[in-house]
Amino acid sequence: MSTGQKLKVAILISGGGSNMVTLLKSMGADHPAAPCMVMSNKADAGGLAKAQALGVPTAVVDHRPFGQDRAGFEDAMLAKLEAANADVVCLAGFMRVLTPHFIDRFEGRMLNVHPSLLPKYKGLNTHARAIEAGDAEAGCTVHVATAKLDDGPIIAQARVPILKDDTPETLAARVLVEEHRIYPEALQSFTQNL
Ligand code: GAR
């Protein structure tokens, strides 16, 4: 299959982009999809240079000038996704809440990785909340992104133990290892079945 026939994947990030890098590296010759762009809402996101080093075009749409105009921010991102002919969007540490205005355009074609065992701990500070609750285990989830935050059909989950001396940081590091394992697997199976 030539790259031209593959599904084109855009990855949205806000930070270091370690999940983004594992996704990019997973899309080899036999993969049903190929990366078309990495986009960030932050110009200083560390992941942008990593994507460029891997030969993937990058784009930035800073959310701040748009203020409360979420539709305007989302339209600016949608224009860049359309210019890149993106078929599939992967959210990988993208820390802006997207509205149905954006999500409807990629309905059934957008994935998210979330650092908890959904439906537990939607939103932020997932690891601190799991430790605080005295949970025995934590984990991560890859799911189809829908209009409800951190909701939508679950594609993959992985569990890790919460250890006695865990801090949110040590737990996050243990969970991140599993994110790097399940997100590429989920993207492969998802794009195979599209
Ligand atoms: C990951 O742990 C991801 O699950 C989380 O941000 C981190 C990004 O790390 N996402 C969310 O919390 C989304 N609500 P990365 O930039 O190294 O991939």
Side-chain angles (χ1 to χ4, degrees), residues 15-20 92-95 113-115 123 150 176 179:
S18 69
N19 275 291
M20 175 271 295
F94 183 71
M95 302 307 280
V113 64
H114 184 72
D150 298 331
L176 194 61
E179 295 184 39

Side-chain angles (χ1 to χ4, degrees), residues 17-141:
S18 69
N19 275 291
M20 175 271 295
V21 168
T22 63
L23 291 177
L24 291 183
K25 288 185 172 169
S26 75
M27 286 184 264
D30 295 333
H31 201 284
C36 65
M37 79 180 315
V38 170
M39 182 157 56
S40 174
N41 63 306
K42 293 187 151 200
D44 62 354
L48 290 170
K50 296 175 195 169
Q52 286 156 13
L54 290 167
V56 178
T58 60
V60 175
V61 178
D62 187 342
H63 61 277
R64 289 171 303 180
F66 293 94
Q68 300 301 309
D69 179 13
R70 284 187 184 266
F73 168 59
E74 293 180 348
D75 280 338
M77 288 198 296
L78 286 167
K80 291 195 185 288
L81 291 169
E82 268 160 34
N85 290 311
D87 300 301
V88 171
V89 171
C90 288
L91 305 177
F94 183 71
M95 302 307 280
R96 302 298 298 173
V97 173
L98 295 166
T99 76
H101 178 71
F102 183 97
I103 293 171
D104 288 353
R105 292 281 281 276
F106 282 93
E107 190 183 359
R109 293 185 290 136
M110 181 149 78
L111 300 182
N112 181 40
V113 64
H114 184 72
S116 79
L117 293 170
L118 291 174
K120 273 188 145 180
Y121 309 129
K122 298 176 180 183
L124 299 176
N125 303 317
T126 55
H127 304 303
R129 289 154 68 199
I131 292 169
E132 178 73 17
D135 291 356
E137 56 182 11
C140 51
T141 304

